Amino acid sequence: MINGLLAKFRAVLIQDKGSRLTFRFPNFLSIILLSSVGVTALVWGVRELKWLQAGELSIYDRMLRSRPQEPLDGRILLVTITQEDLTREKWPLSDQTINKLLEKLESYQPRVIGLNIYRQGQKNLAANLHKQDLMIGTCLLSNIARTEIPPPPNLPIDNIGFDDVVSDNATDQILRRTLLFTDVTNTDNKCQTRFSLAFLLAMSYLEKQGIEYNFTKNEQLQIGKTIFPRLDKNAGSYQNTDAYGYQILLNYRHPNHLAKQVTLTQVLTDQVNPNWIQDRLVIVGTTAASVHPGYYTPYSSLSDQPARMPRVFIHAQIASQIISTVLDGRPLIYYWPDWAEWLWIWSCALVGAVLAWQWRHPVMLIIVESFILVGVVGIAAGLYLQAIWIPLFTPSLALVITSFAVMGYTTYQTQKQNQAILLQVEQQEEAIAQISLLLEQTTALPSQFNEFNFSEISIFKTDDLLLAGRYKILKTLASGGFGRTYLAEDTQKQGNPICVVKQLMPARRDPRFMDVARRLFNTEAQILAVVGKHPLIPELFASFEENQEFYLVQEYILGHTLSEELPPETSVKNEVFVVSMLKEVLEILAFVHDHRVIHRDIKPTNIMRSTQDNRLVLIDFGAVKLIQPRIDEATELATVAIGTRGYSPPEQFAGHPRLSSDIYALGIIGIQAITGIPPQELPVNPETGNIMWRQRTNVSDELGAILDKMVCYHFGDRYQSATAVLQDLKLLVISH
């Protein structure tokens, strides 16, 4: 599969020219770059409008849930006040009950006790504790939807943390961020603390271990040696989110593997292992939904989890994250800066554009893109495991949009190009009909050719002036009739690449003939410009008229013609060679015929074997040759037809070639290769007109049947497309 991909990529990017390493930048790269950048800008703009934020956050939640479960945080113990506890104790719990609980806990020597219980009118909370600084209480800040709840009056403000959390209210109310502390406080509030309960609990635990916090020069929170970067308003897939205060992303542990839990009743009745409490961070809070419904989290969608997580668990998650990050090096959730995310999205869009350029069939594109999307998900999942949050929905969307945009554009351009080619083919046929009529008139009077002065034929030498001001003629490659082929050097192109200049001399110079010849030449040049985009057809660099002579400048193919490989009768080619040759040429013909273009002169001398990659290249399309006179009628058809005797089928003799005419000529070459007999010497069945060749060689019935069908006398009995022949040849290979 990789080799196939490289071959397709090379076919688009590379054209062999002489030394044969010229990249087709303008067409390929301009479309790829413009489409990928345009779609990236579009997707980025939609992303900035927050239209894609919900999708990205949903993927983020799924990735969090899919991470491997971590062990319990052994530093924390949760004392939960369950709904069952509240059947024994009236809510709100009295100061007496709470103080009894705190005394029990203090007796087991915890490092810190966090009380996530607040109510109006607390007066003697923790009054009997021996160490008042052991406990951290809480209060609730005020907002538009509720009034504040003040802290216990008998606790110092340094031992008070606010209970408030930050949810994504604009999307789904899920808690993905945590507020560690606020920037300022309102002096009118009774809850004057700047720090969250979870932050105070974690810091109280760490300070007893000699670890303190401070701020770096750029005002980033540093605890010990660990920096907790402040959440950016565009962090990850957030777009302009409310990042007030000092927030970080909440790196959850799985709810089932957070910390050990005991109930209020178990503590009050001494059913707790003292080792679970000693030197631990103990957090007390209710899990009863009747007291507080809890908060939505990324785990809310799991079937084995409640829809909401109790707030005491939320504070335990945050405290555990801070402590384990500082002491264990547990990673914080990191996210890329905007420029890196933009490059990531653009890279996916770029891949989508390249895929669409390579696989233009919708079904194939969907299949290949599915594999690529799996790879994108794999990259994102691998980074999530490293606690790196990157966009996934956005780049995937960019990949899909770009691929279908490029496919739509190329399909439109192909249709537009095909329409233009069809128009050129129609004009070509019209010009051929007119020029054939003119040539028929001159064929009846060959003496008219004497009016042409042969001395006017331009013969270029290496010391002549540049042709068209840029092509320096190096040597003559071939000459015949009224035309010549030269090897030339393009003096205006970087590196002075070698090219082929074909000089075509019109049979007559009278205005009427020249006008028709000019139209035929121009249509042929435009057709060659299109078919020359195939990597195995010489590219047309230029076409022009000078001094009533026509010139085609084409890619130079270094190699030899197929005629040098065709054997004499004593050294025929085997079936492997014939099948391989047929396949290579048919693949080129499939492209040519898709544009409704007929080559008209397929013969061994018009098929080159490239020295660079040993592949066959189809050269020398035949329609433009009609503007030249036919001198050697032993090999060239006279006047009204184009082609070569022996290789051209009957309808082409009559001046009515079809797509199957090219298939006929190629079939004749196959028969010539496997029999070693020139086509002019092959006998013809007088009743059917079909060539009789099977008795002259040993050939498998399968290949023989294919060749017979390719060279049927009547065009309606032949293969009607190069693709159909290829399909039968592939079955032939499979059957062997």
Side-chain angles (χ1 to χ4, degrees):
M1 179 177 178
I2 294 177
N3 289 335
L5 175 60
L6 291 176
K8 284 179 174 287
F9 192 74
R10 178 180 180 277
V12 174
L13 283 181
I14 299 178
Q15 271 278 356
D16 294 341
K17 305 182 188 307
S19 58
R20 309 259 269 171
L21 283 176
T22 301
F23 289 83
R24 289 187 168 184
F25 284 105
N27 192 28
F28 174 74
L29 285 185
S30 60
I31 294 174
I32 298 303
L33 291 176
L34 287 175
S35 61
S36 60
V37 171
V39 171
T40 300
L42 173 65
V43 172
W44 189 268
V46 174
R47 181 176 182 262
E48 289 293 315
L49 295 174
K50 298 187 178 182
W51 294 354
L52 305 178
Q53 180 171 291
E56 287 286 11
L57 292 178
S58 177
I59 295 173
Y60 172 76
D61 294 342
R62 183 179 295 274
M63 289 294 186
L64 283 180
R65 295 192 298 267
S66 63
R67 294 181 304 174
Q69 295 182 358
E70 301 175 79
L72 294 173
D73 191 338
R75 305 180 185 91
I76 297 177
L77 176 70
L78 295 174
V79 178
T80 59
I81 302 170
T82 65
Q83 196 69 49
E84 196 174 303
D85 290 330
L86 295 183
T87 61
R88 303 182 183 91
E89 301 287 343
K90 182 181 178 181
W91 186 264
L93 298 180
S94 65
D95 285 355
Q96 181 181 1
T97 300
I98 295 175
N99 287 339
K100 182 179 179 182
L101 172 66
L102 294 176
E103 288 178 28
K104 286 278 187 182
L105 292 174
E106 185 184 32
S107 67
Y108 296 124
Q109 300 178 341
R111 187 179 294 191
V112 182
I113 299 175
L115 188 62
N116 185 221
I117 300 174
Y118 47 77
R119 60 184 175 83
Q120 301 284 355
Q122 298 180 87
K123 296 180 179 179
N124 298 312
L125 192 63
N128 299 326
L129 287 182
H130 295 91
K131 298 180 179 179
Q132 287 286 335
D133 63 344
L134 182 68
M135 196 191 84
I136 305 296
T138 188
C139 60
L140 192 65
L141 298 173
S142 63
N143 61 27
I144 297 176
R146 63 162 190 264
T147 59
E148 70 170 341
I149 296 180
N154 56 321
L155 289 180
I157 193 63
D158 291 342
N159 285 47
I160 299 295
F162 58 76
D163 188 59
D164 298 74
V165 295
V166 180
S167 63
D168 291 333
N169 293 321
T171 52
D172 46 22
Q173 297 185 334
I174 290 178
L175 291 181
R176 301 181 179 91
R177 301 168 283 145
T178 178
L179 178 63
L180 299 184
F181 50 86
T182 59
D183 294 325
V184 294
T185 58
N186 189 334
T187 56
D188 295 332
N189 290 341
K190 295 179 181 179
C191 187
Q192 287 291 312
T193 181
R194 296 180 62 242
F195 301 100
S196 70
L197 173 63
F199 180 76
L200 279 183
L201 291 175
M203 286 312 308
S204 298
Y205 182 92
L206 293 171
E207 283 173 355
K208 289 180 171 57
Q209 201 166 317
I211 299 174
E212 298 182 351
Y213 77 90
N214 53 50
F215 291 90
T216 63
K217 292 181 180 179
N218 56 351
E219 299 185 353
Q220 299 290 323
L221 173 66
Q222 180 173 347
I223 304 176
K225 296 181 179 180
T226 305
I227 294 177
F228 290 73
R230 186 173 189 165
L231 188 75
D232 184 80
K233 65 179 181 179
N234 294 321
S237 294
Y238 282 113
Q239 296 302 312
N240 199 29
T241 191
D242 189 355
Y244 74 91
Y246 203 103
Q247 299 182 31
I248 62 173
L249 290 171
L250 212 170
N251 192 7
Y252 283 92
R253 291 177 182 268
H254 193 283
N256 295 341
H257 294 79
L258 175 56
K260 289 185 180 296
Q261 301 178 39
V262 296
T263 65
L264 170 67
T265 301
Q266 287 176 321
V267 176
L268 293 179
T269 57
D270 296 323
Q271 300 179 42
V272 178
N273 186 341
N275 292 328
W276 292 357
I277 301 176
Q278 186 176 12
D279 202 36
R280 300 294 192 277
L281 167 59
V282 180
I283 307 177
V284 181
T286 179
T287 60
S290 60
V291 177
H292 191 282
Y295 302 101
Y296 294 108
T297 72
Y299 295 90
S300 296
S301 61
L302 293 180
S303 59
D304 62 342
Q305 296 297 320
R308 301 192 181 201
M309 185 179 289
R311 60 187 180 184
V312 65
F313 286 6
I314 297 296
H315 293 298
Q317 290 276 8
I318 301 168
S320 173
Q321 176 179 346
I322 295 173
I323 294 171
S324 59
T325 299
V326 174
L327 298 182
D328 303 334
R330 184 170 179 251
L332 294 165
I333 296 180
Y334 176 72
Y335 48 87
W336 284 351
D338 282 351
W339 64 265
E341 291 188 355
W342 194 95
L343 285 178
W344 166 237
I345 296 171
W346 177 64
S347 298
C348 290
L350 197 63
V351 170
V354 173
L355 290 178
W357 190 268
Q358 302 296 325
W359 284 273
R360 303 187 185 186
H361 192 281
V363 175
M364 283 300 300
L365 180 60
I366 291 173
I367 293 173
V368 174
E369 274 199 352
S370 299
F371 285 103
I372 299 298
L373 286 174
V374 169
V376 172
V377 172
I379 293 172
L383 291 174
Y384 275 121
L385 292 176
Q386 303 299 318
I388 300 174
W389 178 20
I390 67 170
L392 180 56
F393 180 66
T394 308
S396 300
L397 188 63
L399 187 148
V400 172
I401 292 176
T402 308
S403 61
F404 282 96
V406 171
M407 187 181 70
Y409 173 81
T410 54
T411 300
Y412 167 76
Q413 289 297 325
T414 300
Q415 292 175 348
K416 185 178 177 181
Q417 184 183 79
N418 286 342
Q419 291 175 354
I421 286 294
L422 286 175
L423 179 61
Q424 294 299 324
V425 170
E426 291 175 1
Q427 294 177 356
Q428 181 190 66
E429 294 297 333
E430 181 182 348
I432 289 174
Q434 293 180 22
I435 208 167
S436 297
L437 181 60
L438 294 173
L439 287 174
E440 284 177 351
Q441 297 171 0
T442 58
T443 303
L445 298 171
S447 61
Q448 290 185 14
F449 285 111
N450 296 331
E451 299 175 2
F452 184 81
N453 187 357
F454 282 80
S455 63
E456 295 180 3
I457 300 177
S458 301
I459 302 176
F460 298 101
K461 300 179 181 179
T462 56
D463 57 352
D464 283 337
L465 295 176
L466 300 179
L467 180 62
R470 65 182 295 177
Y471 301 107
K472 180 181 179 181
I473 304 302
L474 301 178
K475 67 177 181 178
T476 301
L477 294 177
S479 62
F482 279 40
R484 287 180 173 78
T485 303
Y486 300 98
L487 192 65
E489 182 181 90
D490 189 344
T491 61
Q492 294 185 11
K493 202 168 187 179
Q494 185 177 4
N496 296 343
I498 301 299
C499 56
V500 172
V501 176
K502 293 186 178 180
Q503 177 192 18
L504 303 170
M505 304 296 297
R508 287 161 41 185
R509 297 290 182 97
D510 59 275
R512 186 181 177 189
F513 187 91
M514 285 297 298
D515 180 62
V516 178
R518 187 175 294 110
R519 283 194 286 119
L520 177 59
F521 174 78
N522 290 334
T523 56
E524 181 77 358
Q526 293 184 49
I527 292 172
L528 289 176
V530 174
V531 298
K533 293 179 180 179
H534 192 282
L536 298 178
I537 296 175
E539 184 177 358
L540 180 68
F541 295 143
S543 62
F544 55 91
E545 179 184 346
E546 191 171 278
N547 298 325
Q548 293 189 318
E549 297 168 3
F550 301 103
Y551 297 91
L552 295 173
V553 183
Q554 291 182 287
E555 171 188 0
Y556 173 56
I557 305 298
L558 182 62
H560 61 270
T561 65
L562 188 63
S563 60
E564 297 182 29
E565 300 182 12
L566 296 184
E569 191 170 356
T570 56
S571 179
V572 297
K573 294 294 184 181
N574 57 31
E575 293 190 20
V576 174
F577 173 89
V578 174
V579 170
S580 176
M581 181 272 295
L582 291 176
K583 280 184 176 181
E584 286 194 61
V585 180
L586 283 167
E587 286 174 356
I588 306 172
L589 282 181
F591 171 81
V592 173
H593 290 175
D594 280 345
H595 291 84
R596 312 307 297 174
V597 175
I598 308 172
H599 185 280
R600 299 173 185 264
D601 196 17
I602 290 181
K603 56 185 177 182
T605 53
N606 284 342
I607 301 174
M608 294 282 296
R609 176 79 69 183
S610 170
T611 302
Q612 179 70 21
D613 54 16
N614 205 40
R615 301 177 74 185
L616 295 178
V617 179
L618 188 59
I619 66 171
D620 212 8
F621 284 67
V624 75
K625 297 176 183 178
L626 198 58
I627 68 175
Q628 299 174 273
R630 303 307 185 199
I631 303 300
D632 185 359
E633 295 188 4
T635 57
E636 301 289 343
L637 300 182
T639 62
V640 298
I642 306 168
T644 301
R645 187 176 298 279
Y647 297 100
S648 298
E651 72 275 4
Q652 193 163 325
F653 276 119
H656 302 291
R658 300 172 181 269
L659 297 179
S660 62
S661 302
D662 287 344
I663 296 174
Y664 178 97
L666 182 60
I668 292 294
I669 296 175
I671 293 173
Q672 180 181 355
I674 207 165
T675 62
I677 302 173
Q680 298 89 342
E681 299 178 14
L682 291 170
V684 176
N685 188 318
E687 296 182 1
T688 63
N690 292 331
I691 296 172
M692 297 185 298
W693 64 277
R694 297 282 289 273
Q695 69 279 10
R696 307 293 293 271
T697 186
N698 291 323
V699 63
S700 65
D701 291 338
E702 295 88 348
L703 179 57
I706 292 173
L707 290 172
D708 277 339
K709 190 173 181 179
M710 292 178 72
V711 298
C712 282
Y713 177 83
H714 194 276
F715 59 82
D717 297 331
R718 291 183 218 133
Y719 287 100
Q720 297 303 301
S721 71
T723 303
V725 191
L726 280 170
Q727 290 174 348
D728 281 359
L729 285 173
K730 289 177 181 178
L731 293 175
L732 174 66
V733 174
I734 294 172
S735 66
H736 277 262

